[in-house]
Amino acid sequence: MFLLWPPRVQPREIRAGRSASGAADIICDIEWYTSAVAASQILRDARRVAGLTQRELAERARVPQATVGRIEAGSVSPRVDTLEKLLRAADGELRVHARPGKGVDRSQIRELLRLTPLQRLDLAARDAAGLGRLQPRVGRS
């Protein structure tokens, strides 16, 4: 299993090994990095776990060995389909997951954090009172 998060990530920890089924497992605990760095590290680790040379991986994936070398060196950032193809050739896969918190409107959070604790309590009490007035109306529909 290979985990690659959206661009702007830096691997904090990379563990490589083999699962019970014998497939290569590379897990990246990623916080902040550039996609080129992540792709190079993931591909290099996947190739090594699979016990392949760059040339052998290139032959399996039907890409030039120079392409594998440039990706591993971090001099090029591969397209997603190219990285998937190379990882499959190393008996792995690429899984992309959304980063938690992406798309969250933080403006309201910042606004609430500017309030004093007493102001937040007052706001919570007003909100609770409003919910109390709304509840009987919801029950009727």
Side-chain angles (χ1 to χ4, degrees):
M1 168 177 35
F2 299 90
L3 302 179
L4 176 64
W5 290 54
R8 293 201 62 219
V9 230
Q10 162 101 358
R12 198 173 36 188
E13 176 185 354
I14 296 181
R15 295 185 311 274
R18 292 210 172 264
S19 66
S21 67
D25 279 351
I26 303 226
I27 299 169
C28 294
D29 183 8
I30 297 174
E31 196 167 84
W32 190 98
Y33 71 106
T34 65
S35 58
V37 172
S40 66
Q41 186 68 47
I42 289 171
L43 183 59
R44 186 179 312 109
D45 289 344
R47 179 179 59 77
R48 288 178 179 165
V49 167
L52 300 170
T53 65
Q54 284 185 356
R55 186 172 309 284
E56 290 168 334
L57 178 62
E59 287 173 5
R60 280 187 177 193
R62 294 191 172 112
V63 299
Q65 182 275 325
T67 301
V68 175
R70 285 192 304 269
I71 293 169
E72 286 190 8
S75 58
V76 296
S77 182
R79 293 186 341 209
V80 171
D81 61 329
T82 302
L83 185 58
E84 282 180 319
K85 183 179 189 178
L86 289 164
L87 293 176
R88 273 196 310 272
D91 299 323
E93 66 181 292
L94 175 69
R95 294 184 187 176
V96 181
H97 299 273
R99 194 175 339 168
K102 188 88 170 152
V104 173
D105 179 8
R106 299 179 193 283
S107 61
Q108 288 183 339
I109 296 169
R110 285 188 208 103
E111 191 176 311
L112 285 172
L113 289 174
R114 285 187 197 107
L115 300 175
T116 67
L118 185 58
Q119 290 172 321
R120 280 184 256 169
L121 270 173
D122 288 342
L123 182 59
R126 285 194 310 259
D127 288 347
L131 286 174
R133 287 191 305 272
L134 187 61
Q135 189 175 11
R137 293 180 186 183
V138 173
R140 282 189 243 147
S141 47

Coordinates of all heavy atoms in Angstrom, one line a residue, residues 41-125:
Q41 N 10.9 9.8 -3.1 CA 11.1 8.9 -1.9 C 10.3 7.7 -2.0 O 10.7 6.5 -1.7 CB 10.9 9.7 -0.6 CG 11.2 8.9 0.6 CD 12.7 8.7 0.8 OE1 13.5 9.6 0.6 NE2 13.1 7.5 1.0
I42 N 9.0 7.8 -2.3 CA 8.1 6.7 -2.4 C 8.5 5.7 -3.4 O 8.6 4.5 -3.2 CB 6.6 7.2 -2.6 CG1 6.1 7.9 -1.4 CG2 5.7 6.0 -3.0 CD1 4.8 8.6 -1.6
L43 N 8.9 6.2 -4.6 CA 9.3 5.3 -5.7 C 10.6 4.6 -5.3 O 10.7 3.4 -5.5 CB 9.5 6.1 -7.0 CG 9.8 5.2 -8.2 CD1 8.8 4.2 -8.5 CD2 10.0 6.1 -9.4
R44 N 11.6 5.3 -4.8 CA 12.8 4.7 -4.4 C 12.6 3.6 -3.4 O 13.1 2.5 -3.5 CB 13.8 5.7 -3.8 CG 15.2 5.2 -3.6 CD 16.2 6.2 -3.0 NE 16.2 7.5 -3.8 CZ 15.6 8.6 -3.4 NH1 15.1 8.7 -2.2 NH2 15.7 9.7 -4.1
D45 N 11.8 3.9 -2.3 CA 11.5 2.9 -1.3 C 10.7 1.7 -1.9 O 11.0 0.5 -1.5 CB 10.8 3.5 -0.1 CG 11.6 4.4 0.7 OD1 12.9 4.4 0.6 OD2 11.0 5.2 1.5
A46 N 9.8 1.9 -2.7 CA 9.0 0.8 -3.3 C 9.9 -0.1 -4.1 O 9.8 -1.3 -4.1 CB 7.9 1.4 -4.2
R47 N 10.8 0.5 -4.9 CA 11.7 -0.3 -5.8 C 12.6 -1.1 -4.9 O 12.8 -2.3 -5.2 CB 12.5 0.7 -6.7 CG 13.5 0.0 -7.5 CD 14.3 0.9 -8.4 NE 15.0 1.9 -7.7 CZ 16.2 1.7 -7.1 NH1 16.7 0.5 -7.0 NH2 16.8 2.7 -6.4
R48 N 13.1 -0.5 -3.8 CA 14.1 -1.3 -3.0 C 13.3 -2.4 -2.2 O 13.9 -3.5 -2.1 CB 14.7 -0.3 -2.0 CG 15.7 0.6 -2.7 CD 16.4 1.6 -1.7 NE 17.3 2.4 -2.4 CZ 17.8 3.5 -1.9 NH1 17.4 4.0 -0.7 NH2 18.7 4.2 -2.6
V49 N 12.1 -2.1 -1.7 CA 11.4 -3.2 -1.0 C 11.1 -4.3 -2.0 O 11.1 -5.5 -1.6 CB 10.1 -2.6 -0.4 CG1 9.1 -3.7 0.0 CG2 10.4 -1.7 0.7
A50 N 10.8 -4.0 -3.2 CA 10.5 -5.0 -4.2 C 11.8 -5.7 -4.7 O 11.8 -6.7 -5.4 CB 9.8 -4.4 -5.4
G51 N 13.0 -5.2 -4.3 CA 14.3 -5.8 -4.6 C 14.6 -5.6 -6.1 O 15.3 -6.5 -6.7
L52 N 14.2 -4.5 -6.7 CA 14.5 -4.2 -8.1 C 15.5 -3.1 -8.3 O 15.6 -2.2 -7.4 CB 13.2 -3.8 -8.8 CG 12.0 -4.7 -8.7 CD1 10.8 -4.1 -9.2 CD2 12.3 -6.0 -9.6
T53 N 16.3 -3.2 -9.3 CA 17.1 -2.1 -9.7 C 16.3 -1.1 -10.5 O 15.1 -1.5 -10.9 CB 18.3 -2.6 -10.6 OG1 17.7 -3.1 -11.9 CG2 19.1 -3.7 -10.0
Q54 N 16.8 0.0 -10.8 CA 16.1 1.0 -11.6 C 15.8 0.4 -13.0 O 14.7 0.6 -13.5 CB 16.9 2.3 -11.7 CG 16.8 3.2 -10.5 CD 17.5 4.5 -10.8 OE1 18.1 4.8 -11.8 NE2 17.5 5.4 -9.7
R55 N 16.8 -0.3 -13.5 CA 16.6 -0.8 -14.9 C 15.5 -1.9 -14.9 O 14.7 -2.0 -15.8 CB 17.9 -1.5 -15.4 CG 17.9 -2.0 -16.8 CD 19.2 -2.4 -17.3 NE 20.3 -1.4 -17.2 CZ 20.4 -0.3 -17.9 NH1 19.5 0.0 -18.8 NH2 21.4 0.5 -17.7
E56 N 15.5 -2.8 -13.9 CA 14.4 -3.8 -13.8 C 13.1 -3.2 -13.6 O 12.1 -3.7 -14.3 CB 14.7 -4.8 -12.6 CG 16.0 -5.6 -12.8 CD 16.4 -6.3 -11.6 OE1 16.1 -5.8 -10.4 OE2 17.1 -7.4 -11.7
L57 N 12.9 -2.2 -12.8 CA 11.7 -1.5 -12.6 C 11.2 -0.9 -13.9 O 10.0 -1.0 -14.3 CB 11.7 -0.5 -11.5 CG 10.4 0.3 -11.3 CD1 9.3 -0.6 -10.8 CD2 10.7 1.4 -10.2
A58 N 12.1 -0.2 -14.6 CA 11.8 0.4 -15.9 C 11.3 -0.6 -16.9 O 10.4 -0.3 -17.6 CB 13.0 1.2 -16.4
E59 N 12.0 -1.7 -17.0 CA 11.6 -2.8 -17.9 C 10.2 -3.3 -17.6 O 9.4 -3.5 -18.5 CB 12.6 -3.9 -17.9 CG 13.9 -3.6 -18.6 CD 15.0 -4.7 -18.4 OE1 14.7 -5.8 -17.8 OE2 16.1 -4.4 -18.8
R60 N 9.9 -3.5 -16.3 CA 8.6 -4.0 -15.9 C 7.5 -3.0 -16.2 O 6.4 -3.4 -16.7 CB 8.5 -4.3 -14.4 CG 9.1 -5.5 -13.9 CD 8.8 -5.7 -12.4 NE 9.3 -6.9 -11.9 CZ 8.9 -7.4 -10.7 NH1 8.1 -6.7 -10.0 NH2 9.4 -8.5 -10.3
A61 N 7.8 -1.7 -16.0 CA 6.8 -0.7 -16.3 C 6.8 -0.2 -17.7 O 5.9 0.6 -18.1 CB 7.1 0.5 -15.4
R62 N 7.8 -0.7 -18.5 CA 7.9 -0.3 -19.9 C 8.1 1.2 -20.1 O 7.4 1.9 -20.8 CB 6.7 -0.7 -20.7 CG 6.6 -2.2 -20.8 CD 5.6 -2.7 -21.8 NE 5.7 -4.1 -22.0 CZ 4.7 -4.9 -21.7 NH1 3.6 -4.5 -21.1 NH2 4.9 -6.2 -21.9
V63 N 9.0 1.8 -19.2 CA 9.4 3.2 -19.3 C 10.9 3.2 -19.4 O 11.6 2.2 -19.0 CB 8.9 4.0 -18.1 CG1 7.4 4.0 -18.0 CG2 9.6 3.6 -16.8
P64 N 11.5 4.3 -19.9 CA 13.0 4.3 -20.0 C 13.6 4.4 -18.5 O 13.0 4.9 -17.6 CB 13.3 5.7 -20.7 CG 12.0 6.0 -21.4 CD 10.9 5.4 -20.6
Q65 N 14.7 3.7 -18.4 CA 15.4 3.7 -17.1 C 15.7 5.2 -16.7 O 15.7 5.5 -15.5 CB 16.7 2.9 -17.1 CG 17.5 2.8 -15.8 CD 18.4 4.0 -15.6 OE1 19.0 4.5 -16.5 NE2 18.5 4.4 -14.3
A66 N 16.0 6.0 -17.6 CA 16.3 7.4 -17.3 C 15.1 8.1 -16.6 O 15.3 9.0 -15.7 CB 16.7 8.2 -18.5
T67 N 13.9 7.7 -17.0 CA 12.7 8.3 -16.3 C 12.7 7.9 -14.9 O 12.4 8.8 -14.0 CB 11.5 7.8 -17.1 OG1 11.5 8.2 -18.4 CG2 10.2 8.3 -16.4
V68 N 12.9 6.7 -14.6 CA 13.0 6.2 -13.2 C 14.0 7.0 -12.4 O 13.8 7.5 -11.3 CB 13.2 4.7 -13.1 CG1 13.3 4.2 -11.6 CG2 12.1 3.9 -13.8
G69 N 15.2 7.1 -13.0 CA 16.3 7.8 -12.4 C 16.0 9.3 -12.1 O 16.3 9.8 -11.0
R70 N 15.4 10.0 -13.0 CA 15.0 11.4 -12.8 C 14.0 11.5 -11.8 O 14.1 12.5 -11.0 CB 14.6 12.0 -14.2 CG 15.7 12.3 -15.1 CD 15.3 13.2 -16.3 NE 14.1 12.6 -17.0 CZ 14.2 11.8 -18.1 NH1 15.4 11.5 -18.6 NH2 13.1 11.4 -18.7
I71 N 13.0 10.6 -11.7 CA 12.0 10.7 -10.7 C 12.6 10.5 -9.3 O 12.4 11.2 -8.4 CB 10.8 9.7 -10.9 CG1 10.1 10.1 -12.2 CG2 9.9 9.7 -9.7 CD1 9.1 9.0 -12.7
E72 N 13.4 9.4 -9.2 CA 14.0 9.1 -7.9 C 15.0 10.2 -7.4 O 15.1 10.4 -6.3 CB 14.7 7.8 -8.0 CG 13.8 6.6 -7.9 CD 14.5 5.3 -7.8 OE1 15.7 5.3 -7.5 OE2 13.9 4.2 -7.9
A73 N 15.6 10.9 -8.4 CA 16.5 12.0 -8.0 C 15.7 13.2 -7.6 O 16.3 14.2 -7.1 CB 17.4 12.3 -9.2
G74 N 14.4 13.3 -7.9 CA 13.6 14.4 -7.6 C 13.8 15.6 -8.6 O 13.3 16.7 -8.4
S75 N 14.4 15.3 -9.7 CA 14.6 16.3 -10.7 C 13.3 16.5 -11.6 O 13.2 17.6 -12.2 CB 15.8 16.1 -11.6 OG 15.6 14.8 -12.3
V76 N 12.4 15.6 -11.6 CA 11.1 15.7 -12.3 C 10.0 15.2 -11.3 O 10.2 14.3 -10.5 CB 11.0 14.9 -13.6 CG1 12.0 15.5 -14.6 CG2 11.2 13.5 -13.4
S77 N 8.9 15.8 -11.5 CA 7.7 15.3 -10.7 C 6.8 14.5 -11.7 O 6.3 15.1 -12.7 CB 6.9 16.5 -10.2 OG 5.8 16.1 -9.4
P78 N 6.6 13.3 -11.4 CA 5.9 12.4 -12.4 C 4.4 12.7 -12.4 O 3.8 13.2 -11.4 CB 6.1 11.0 -11.9 CG 6.3 11.2 -10.4 CD 7.0 12.5 -10.3
R79 N 3.7 12.5 -13.5 CA 2.3 12.5 -13.6 C 1.8 11.4 -12.7 O 2.5 10.4 -12.5 CB 1.8 12.4 -15.0 CG 2.2 13.5 -15.9 CD 1.5 13.4 -17.3 NE 1.1 12.1 -17.6 CZ 1.0 11.6 -18.9 NH1 1.4 12.4 -19.9 NH2 0.6 10.4 -19.1
V80 N 0.6 11.5 -12.2 CA 0.0 10.5 -11.3 C -0.1 9.1 -12.0 O 0.3 8.1 -11.4 CB -1.4 10.9 -10.8 CG1 -2.1 9.8 -10.1 CG2 -1.3 12.2 -10.0
D81 N -0.5 9.1 -13.3 CA -0.6 7.8 -14.0 C 0.8 7.2 -14.2 O 0.9 6.0 -14.1 CB -1.3 8.0 -15.3 CG -0.6 8.9 -16.3 OD1 0.1 9.9 -15.9 OD2 -0.7 8.7 -17.5
T82 N 1.9 8.0 -14.3 CA 3.2 7.4 -14.4 C 3.7 6.8 -13.1 O 4.2 5.7 -13.0 CB 4.2 8.5 -14.9 OG1 3.8 9.1 -16.1 CG2 5.6 8.0 -15.0
L83 N 3.4 7.5 -12.0 CA 3.8 7.0 -10.7 C 3.0 5.8 -10.4 O 3.5 4.8 -9.9 CB 3.5 8.1 -9.6 CG 3.9 7.7 -8.2 CD1 5.4 7.4 -8.1 CD2 3.6 8.9 -7.3
E84 N 1.7 5.7 -10.7 CA 0.9 4.5 -10.5 C 1.5 3.4 -11.3 O 1.6 2.2 -10.7 CB -0.6 4.8 -11.0 CG -1.4 5.5 -10.0 CD -2.8 5.7 -10.5 OE1 -3.0 6.0 -11.7 OE2 -3.7 5.6 -9.7
K85 N 1.8 3.6 -12.5 CA 2.4 2.5 -13.4 C 3.7 2.0 -12.8 O 3.9 0.7 -12.7 CB 2.7 3.1 -14.7 CG 3.2 2.2 -15.8 CD 3.3 3.0 -17.1 CE 3.6 2.1 -18.2 NZ 3.8 2.9 -19.5
L86 N 4.5 2.9 -12.3 CA 5.8 2.4 -11.7 C 5.6 1.7 -10.4 O 6.2 0.7 -10.1 CB 6.7 3.6 -11.5 CG 7.3 4.2 -12.8 CD1 7.9 5.6 -12.5 CD2 8.4 3.3 -13.3
L87 N 4.7 2.2 -9.6 CA 4.4 1.5 -8.3 C 3.8 0.1 -8.5 O 4.1 -0.9 -7.8 CB 3.5 2.3 -7.4 CG 4.1 3.6 -6.9 CD1 3.1 4.5 -6.1 CD2 5.4 3.3 -6.1
R88 N 2.9 0.0 -9.5 CA 2.3 -1.3 -9.9 C 3.4 -2.3 -10.3 O 3.3 -3.5 -10.0 CB 1.2 -1.2 -10.9 CG -0.2 -0.9 -10.4 CD -1.2 -1.1 -11.5 NE -1.0 -0.5 -12.7 CZ -1.3 0.8 -13.1 NH1 -1.9 1.5 -12.2 NH2 -1.0 1.2 -14.3
A89 N 4.3 -1.8 -11.0 CA 5.5 -2.6 -11.5 C 6.3 -3.1 -10.3 O 7.0 -4.1 -10.4 CB 6.3 -1.9 -12.5
A90 N 6.2 -2.4 -9.2 CA 7.0 -2.8 -8.0 C 6.0 -3.5 -7.0 O 6.3 -3.6 -5.8 CB 7.6 -1.6 -7.3
D91 N 4.9 -4.0 -7.6 CA 3.9 -4.8 -6.8 C 3.3 -3.9 -5.7 O 3.0 -4.4 -4.6 CB 4.5 -6.0 -6.1 CG 5.0 -7.0 -7.2 OD1 4.4 -7.1 -8.3 OD2 6.1 -7.6 -7.0
G92 N 3.0 -2.6 -6.0 CA 2.4 -1.7 -5.0 C 1.3 -1.0 -5.7 O 0.9 -1.3 -6.8
E93 N 0.7 0.0 -5.0 CA -0.3 0.8 -5.5 C -0.3 2.2 -4.9 O 0.4 2.4 -3.9 CB -1.7 0.1 -5.2 CG -2.1 0.1 -3.8 CD -3.4 -0.5 -3.5 OE1 -4.4 0.0 -3.9 OE2 -3.4 -1.6 -3.0
L94 N -0.9 3.1 -5.6 CA -1.0 4.5 -5.1 C -2.4 4.8 -4.6 O -3.3 4.5 -5.4 CB -0.6 5.4 -6.3 CG -0.7 6.9 -6.0 CD1 0.3 7.4 -5.0 CD2 -0.6 7.7 -7.3
R95 N -2.5 5.3 -3.4 CA -3.8 5.7 -2.9 C -3.7 7.1 -2.5 O -2.8 7.5 -1.7 CB -4.2 4.8 -1.7 CG -4.4 3.4 -2.0 CD -4.9 2.6 -0.8 NE -5.0 1.2 -1.1 CZ -5.3 0.3 -0.2 NH1 -5.5 0.6 1.0 NH2 -5.3 -1.0 -0.6
V96 N -4.6 7.9 -3.0 CA -4.6 9.3 -2.6 C -5.8 9.6 -1.7 O -6.9 9.1 -2.0 CB -4.8 10.2 -3.9 CG1 -4.7 11.7 -3.6 CG2 -3.6 9.9 -4.9
H97 N -5.5 10.3 -0.6 CA -6.6 10.6 0.4 C -6.7 12.1 0.5 O -5.7 12.8 0.5 CB -6.2 10.0 1.7 CG -6.2 8.5 1.7 ND1 -7.3 7.7 1.8 CD2 -5.1 7.7 1.4 CE1 -6.9 6.4 1.7 NE2 -5.6 6.4 1.4
A98 N -7.9 12.6 0.8 CA -8.1 14.0 1.0 C -7.4 14.3 2.4 O -7.5 13.5 3.3 CB -9.6 14.3 1.1
R99 N -6.8 15.5 2.4 CA -6.2 15.9 3.7 C -7.3 16.4 4.6 O -8.2 17.3 4.2 CB -5.2 17.1 3.4 CG -4.3 17.4 4.5 CD -3.3 18.4 4.2 NE -3.0 18.5 2.8 CZ -2.3 19.5 2.3 NH1 -1.8 20.4 3.1 NH2 -2.1 19.6 1.0
P100 N -7.4 16.0 5.9 CA -8.4 16.4 6.8 C -8.3 18.0 7.0 O -7.3 18.5 7.0 CB -8.0 15.8 8.1 CG -7.1 14.6 7.7 CD -6.4 15.0 6.5
G101 N -9.5 18.6 7.0 CA -9.6 20.0 7.2 C -9.6 20.8 5.9 O -9.8 22.0 5.9
K102 N -9.4 20.1 4.8 CA -9.3 20.8 3.5 C -10.7 21.3 3.2 O -11.7 20.6 3.3 CB -8.8 19.9 2.4 CG -8.6 20.5 1.1 CD -7.2 21.1 1.1 CE -6.9 21.5 -0.3 NZ -6.0 22.5 -0.4
G103 N -10.9 22.6 2.9 CA -12.2 23.1 2.5 C -13.0 23.7 3.7 O -14.1 24.1 3.6
V104 N -12.4 23.7 4.9 CA -13.1 24.2 6.1 C -13.0 25.7 6.1 O -11.9 26.2 5.9 CB -12.5 23.5 7.4 CG1 -13.0 24.2 8.6 CG2 -12.7 22.0 7.4
D105 N -14.1 26.4 6.3 CA -14.1 27.8 6.5 C -13.6 28.2 7.9 O -14.3 28.0 8.8 CB -15.5 28.4 6.2 CG -15.5 29.9 6.3 OD1 -14.5 30.5 6.5 OD2 -16.6 30.4 6.3
R106 N -12.4 28.6 8.0 CA -11.8 28.9 9.3 C -12.1 30.3 9.8 O -11.7 30.7 10.9 CB -10.3 28.7 9.2 CG -9.9 27.2 8.9 CD -8.5 27.0 8.8 NE -8.1 25.8 8.2 CZ -8.2 24.6 8.8 NH1 -8.6 24.5 10.0 NH2 -7.8 23.5 8.1
S107 N -12.8 31.1 9.0 CA -13.0 32.5 9.4 C -13.9 32.5 10.6 O -13.7 33.4 11.5 CB -13.7 33.3 8.3 OG -14.9 32.7 7.9
Q108 N -14.9 31.7 10.7 CA -15.8 31.7 11.9 C -15.1 31.2 13.1 O -15.3 31.7 14.2 CB -17.0 30.8 11.7 CG -18.0 31.4 10.7 CD -19.3 30.6 10.5 OE1 -19.3 29.4 10.8 NE2 -20.3 31.2 10.1
I109 N -14.2 30.2 12.9 CA -13.4 29.7 14.1 C -12.5 30.8 14.6 O -12.4 31.1 15.8 CB -12.5 28.5 13.6 CG1 -13.4 27.4 13.2 CG2 -11.5 28.1 14.7 CD1 -12.7 26.2 12.5
R110 N -11.8 31.6 13.7 CA -11.0 32.7 14.1 C -11.8 33.8 14.9 O -11.4 34.3 15.8 CB -10.3 33.3 12.9 CG -9.1 32.5 12.4 CD -8.3 33.2 11.3 NE -7.7 32.2 10.5 CZ -8.2 31.9 9.2 NH1 -9.2 32.5 8.7 NH2 -7.6 31.0 8.5
E111 N -13.0 34.0 14.3 CA -13.9 35.0 14.9 C -14.3 34.6 16.4 O -14.2 35.5 17.3 CB -15.1 35.2 14.1 CG -16.0 36.3 14.4 CD -17.2 36.4 13.4 OE1 -16.9 36.4 12.2 OE2 -18.3 36.6 13.9
L112 N -14.6 33.4 16.6 CA -14.9 32.9 17.9 C -13.7 32.9 18.8 O -13.9 33.2 20.0 CB -15.5 31.5 17.8 CG -16.9 31.3 17.3 CD1 -17.3 29.9 17.1 CD2 -17.9 32.0 18.2
L113 N -12.6 32.6 18.3 CA -11.4 32.7 19.2 C -11.0 34.1 19.6 O -10.3 34.2 20.6 CB -10.2 32.0 18.4 CG -10.3 30.5 18.3 CD1 -9.2 29.9 17.5 CD2 -10.4 29.8 19.7
R114 N -11.5 35.1 18.9 CA -11.2 36.5 19.3 C -12.0 36.9 20.5 O -11.7 37.9 21.1 CB -11.4 37.4 18.1 CG -10.4 37.4 17.1 CD -10.6 38.5 16.0 NE -9.8 38.1 14.8 CZ -10.3 37.7 13.7 NH1 -11.6 37.6 13.5 NH2 -9.5 37.4 12.7
L115 N -13.1 36.2 20.7 CA -14.0 36.5 21.8 C -13.4 36.0 23.2 O -12.6 35.1 23.2 CB -15.4 35.8 21.7 CG -16.2 36.2 20.4 CD1 -17.4 35.3 20.4 CD2 -16.5 37.6 20.4
T116 N -13.8 36.7 24.2 CA -13.3 36.3 25.6 C -14.1 35.1 25.9 O -15.2 34.8 25.4 CB -13.5 37.4 26.6 OG1 -14.9 37.6 26.7 CG2 -12.9 38.7 26.2
P117 N -13.7 34.3 26.9 CA -14.5 33.2 27.4 C -15.9 33.6 27.8 O -16.8 32.8 27.5 CB -13.7 32.6 28.6 CG -12.3 33.0 28.3 CD -12.4 34.3 27.6
L118 N -16.1 34.7 28.5 CA -17.4 35.1 28.9 C -18.3 35.4 27.7 O -19.4 35.1 27.6 CB -17.3 36.4 29.8 CG -18.6 36.9 30.4 CD1 -19.3 35.7 31.2 CD2 -18.3 38.1 31.3
Q119 N -17.7 36.1 26.7 CA -18.4 36.4 25.5 C -18.9 35.1 24.8 O -20.0 35.0 24.2 CB -17.6 37.3 24.5 CG -17.4 38.7 25.0 CD -16.4 39.4 24.1 OE1 -15.4 38.9 23.7 NE2 -16.7 40.7 23.9
R120 N -18.0 34.1 24.8 CA -18.3 32.8 24.1 C -19.5 32.1 24.9 O -20.3 31.5 24.3 CB -17.1 31.9 24.1 CG -16.2 32.3 22.9 CD -15.1 31.3 22.7 NE -13.9 32.0 23.2 CZ -12.7 31.5 23.5 NH1 -12.5 30.2 23.3 NH2 -11.7 32.2 23.9
L121 N -19.4 32.2 26.2 CA -20.5 31.6 27.0 C -21.8 32.3 26.7 O -22.9 31.6 26.6 CB -20.2 31.8 28.5 CG -19.4 30.6 29.2 CD1 -19.0 31.0 30.6 CD2 -20.2 29.4 29.1
D122 N -21.8 33.6 26.7 CA -23.1 34.4 26.3 C -23.6 34.0 25.0 O -24.8 33.8 24.8 CB -22.8 35.9 26.3 CG -22.6 36.4 27.7 OD1 -23.0 35.8 28.7 OD2 -22.0 37.6 27.9
L123 N -22.7 33.8 24.0 CA -23.1 33.4 22.7 C -23.7 32.0 22.7 O -24.7 31.8 22.1 CB -21.9 33.5 21.7 CG -22.2 33.1 20.3 CD1 -23.2 34.1 19.6 CD2 -20.9 33.2 19.5
A124 N -23.1 31.1 23.4 CA -23.6 29.7 23.5 C -25.0 29.7 24.2 O -25.9 29.0 23.8 CB -22.6 28.9 24.3
A125 N -25.2 30.6 25.2 CA -26.5 30.6 25.9 C -27.5 31.2 24.9 O -28.7 30.6 24.9 CB -26.4 31.5 27.1

